[in-house]
């Protein structure tokens, strides 16, 4: 089978294919001009280092390696479709989203290439870093003005490395007047430091460019079905089950005219609720969809019902799920309803 012939396979057949055998390349794809756009943005600032870009299993920069890996599914429309089917969304699928992520990862590459995190002044503004990865859970302060706002989930607050990467990404974004946007914010001092730091690197070659083999970091020598089994399991394990007392507050065991099974109502409104909750929480659609699936199953088991024509029901359910998701994002756990 030719490398590109797999694009005509069904999802079931495609999942049996090994990612490393798909023959994926960045050359000639819609990603190539976007990668060049990043390099042009760096050059416009007088920066000569253009981080090498490779295909990997996710968005990341290996610790100590000044190179950017982008997820394999972005390299082909058929794989984007599979990703959307398996995970309900495709991270970085639009040019704007792609560039936001690319600028963020470029910052990590620059940190390693120029050993920026070792500088005393860097540590003064962003804190001491370590080889520990960004924590899965952290407690952001949504209204803090000490951090820039770039990616979702107040990501700059997750770790000193991420604080720098988000600040760098804002600084690099063309046509963004960051001095005006962050006037009066403590984060402005970080932006001004990054501006000063990057000006000191104009025309300077990297000081740390270790040799590496991309294949040692791309983690693609597995079947697609294994990749998605692991990814879905990781996302599913994020949240515990909902509590029965909450469901009984949302719905009831009362039956009669004009009342339907709560599970039927949830199935009918599932997509609307999913979009609403994700809009306000910035949570992954796959995770919220799994929560809705648990609500549906447990409502069936409890034989709960709801009015078929209650105009406030969508609002109550969406508000409940949004509250639980946001609480979990900020504390790492659900609080049991008393």
């Amino acid at each position: 089978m030719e490398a590109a012939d797999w694009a005509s396979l069904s999802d079931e057949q495609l999942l049996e294919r090994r990612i490393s055998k798909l023959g994926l390349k960045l050359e000639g794809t819609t990603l190539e001009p976007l990668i060049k756009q990043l390099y042009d943005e760096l050059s416009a600032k007088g920066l000569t280092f253009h981080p090498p870009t490779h295909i990997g299993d996710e968005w990341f920069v290996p610790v100590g390696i000044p190179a950017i890996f982008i997820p394999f599914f972005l390299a082909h429309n058929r794989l984007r479709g599979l990703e959307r089917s398996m995970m309900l969304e495709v991270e970085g699928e639009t040019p704007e989203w792609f560039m936001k992520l690319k600028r963020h990862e470029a910052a990590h590459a620059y940190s390693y290439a120029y050993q920026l995190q070792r500088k005393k002044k860097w540590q003064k503004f962003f804190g001491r870093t370590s080889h520990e990865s960004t924590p899965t859970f952290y407690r952001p302060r949504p209204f803090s003005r000490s951090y820039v706002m770039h990616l979702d989930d107040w990501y700059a607050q997750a770790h000193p490395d991420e604080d720098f990467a988000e600040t760098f990404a804002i600084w690099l974004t063309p046509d963004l007047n960051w001095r005006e946007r962050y006037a009066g914010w403590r984060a402005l001092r970080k932006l001004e430091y990054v501006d000063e730091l990057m000006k000191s690197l104009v025309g300077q070659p990297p000081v740390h460019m270790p040799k590496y083999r991309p294949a040692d970091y791309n983690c693609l020598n597995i079947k697609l079905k294994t990749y998605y089994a692991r990814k879905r399991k990781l996302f599913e394990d994020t949240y515990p089950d909902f509590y029965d007392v909450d469901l009984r507050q949302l719905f009831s065991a009362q039956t009669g005219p004009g009342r339907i099974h709560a599970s039927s109502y949830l199935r009918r409104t599932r997509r609307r609720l999913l979009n609403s909750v994700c809009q306000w929480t910035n949570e992954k659609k796959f995770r919220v969809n799994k929560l809705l699936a648990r609500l549906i199953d447990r409502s069936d088991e409890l034989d709960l019902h709801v009015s078929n024509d209650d105009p406030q029901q969508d609002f109550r359910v969406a508000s409940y799920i949004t509250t639980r998701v946001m609480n979990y994002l900020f504390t790492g756990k659900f609080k049991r309803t008393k």
Side-chain angles (χ1 to χ4, degrees):
M1 178 177 286
E2 293 292 331
D5 286 351
W6 48 261
S8 62
L9 297 176
S10 66
D11 282 1
E12 184 177 14
Q13 293 171 320
L14 184 55
L15 288 169
E16 294 294 333
R17 302 283 289 182
R18 196 171 291 272
I19 305 171
S20 58
K21 300 297 183 181
L22 297 179
L24 299 175
K25 297 180 180 180
L26 294 173
E27 295 78 10
T29 69
T30 56
L31 303 180
E32 195 172 24
L34 296 177
I35 295 170
K36 182 180 183 301
Q37 181 180 331
L38 173 74
Y39 297 161
D40 289 344
E41 291 174 7
L42 293 169
S43 295
K45 297 285 190 179
L47 301 172
T48 59
F49 173 53
H50 294 169
T53 302
H54 308 290
I55 293 176
D57 60 337
E58 61 178 328
W59 286 96
F60 76 105
V61 170
V63 173
I65 305 296
I68 300 171
F69 286 76
I70 61 178
F72 67 91
F73 50 78
L74 291 176
H76 197 284
N77 282 337
R78 177 66 181 92
L79 296 175
R80 293 185 188 216
L82 181 64
E83 174 76 7
R84 185 174 293 103
S85 174
M86 300 299 290
M87 305 305 301
L88 303 183
E89 61 187 337
V90 183
E91 188 177 29
E93 69 174 327
T94 66
E96 294 77 17
W97 195 358
F98 183 95
M99 290 308 302
K100 289 180 73 171
L101 291 162
K102 199 76 168 72
R103 294 182 191 109
H104 175 98
E105 300 301 347
H108 291 308
Y110 261 74
S111 287
Y112 296 134
Y114 294 91
Q115 301 291 278
L116 302 180
Q117 66 275 20
R118 295 184 179 182
K119 295 180 179 293
K120 296 285 188 185
K121 200 168 184 180
W122 191 101
Q123 294 174 9
K124 174 186 174 182
F125 280 97
F126 300 106
R128 295 185 64 84
T129 186
S130 70
H131 288 317
E132 295 180 5
S133 59
T134 303
T136 303
F137 301 109
Y138 51 95
R139 297 188 179 187
R141 291 173 291 145
F143 303 106
S144 173
R145 292 194 165 196
S146 296
Y147 305 87
V148 299
M149 302 288 289
H150 179 61
L151 298 178
D152 294 334
D153 302 334
W154 304 277
Y155 200 49
Q157 301 184 38
H159 188 277
D161 289 344
E162 307 305 346
D163 190 7
F164 168 73
E166 291 288 82
T167 306
F168 177 97
I170 289 291
W171 170 82
L172 185 60
T173 302
D175 302 321
L176 175 60
N177 188 337
W178 49 265
R179 285 191 173 87
E180 180 180 310
R181 167 66 178 83
Y182 289 96
W185 289 46
R186 290 187 64 186
L188 181 61
R189 289 188 288 176
K190 295 179 182 176
L191 283 160
E192 290 172 339
Y193 167 66
V194 168
D195 187 52
E196 170 193 317
L197 179 61
M198 292 302 112
K199 284 178 179 176
S200 74
L201 300 181
V202 169
Q204 298 296 314
V207 299
H208 178 72
M209 285 296 291
K211 292 183 178 180
Y212 65 95
R213 293 193 325 134
D216 291 338
Y217 298 95
N218 65 25
C219 304
L220 299 180
N221 194 29
I222 57 175
K223 290 184 176 181
L224 278 159
K225 70 175 182 180
T226 303
Y227 170 82
Y228 282 113
R230 292 173 180 174
K231 190 171 185 177
R232 290 162 68 113
K233 181 68 163 57
L234 178 66
F235 280 31
E236 287 174 11
D237 286 348
T238 301
Y239 298 119
D241 290 331
F242 281 92
Y243 301 110
D244 290 355
V245 64
D246 296 334
L247 294 173
R248 290 192 170 103
Q249 286 181 347
L250 283 171
F251 311 120
S252 75
Q254 180 183 350
T255 61
R259 297 186 66 79
I260 60 174
H261 286 285
S263 57
S264 297
Y265 155 75
L266 289 171
R267 289 189 182 95
R268 185 181 69 202
T269 59
R270 186 173 189 159
R271 182 161 296 279
R272 187 161 69 243
L273 291 169
L274 175 67
N275 290 336
S276 177
V277 172
C278 291
Q279 176 185 352
W280 292 108
T281 65
N282 289 321
E283 182 56 289
K284 300 293 186 183
K285 286 186 177 181
F286 183 82
R287 288 175 175 150
V288 177
N289 192 53
K290 281 295 178 181
L291 293 179
L292 282 167
R294 292 178 185 178
L295 267 176
I296 291 170
D297 290 344
R298 191 56 183 153
S299 295
D300 256 341
E301 293 167 0
L302 297 175
D303 196 25
L304 298 176
H305 293 74
V306 65
S307 173
N308 192 31
D309 57 357
D310 184 349
Q312 296 299 312
Q313 192 63 49
D314 281 10
F315 174 76
R316 284 194 292 269
V317 175
S319 297
Y320 167 71
I321 301 174
T322 297
T323 300
R324 290 293 171 261
V325 171
M326 293 304 291
N327 180 71
Y328 194 72
L329 288 174
F330 291 145
T331 68
K333 60 185 179 181
F334 277 115
K335 292 182 179 178
R336 185 180 296 275
T337 303
K338 296 181 179 179

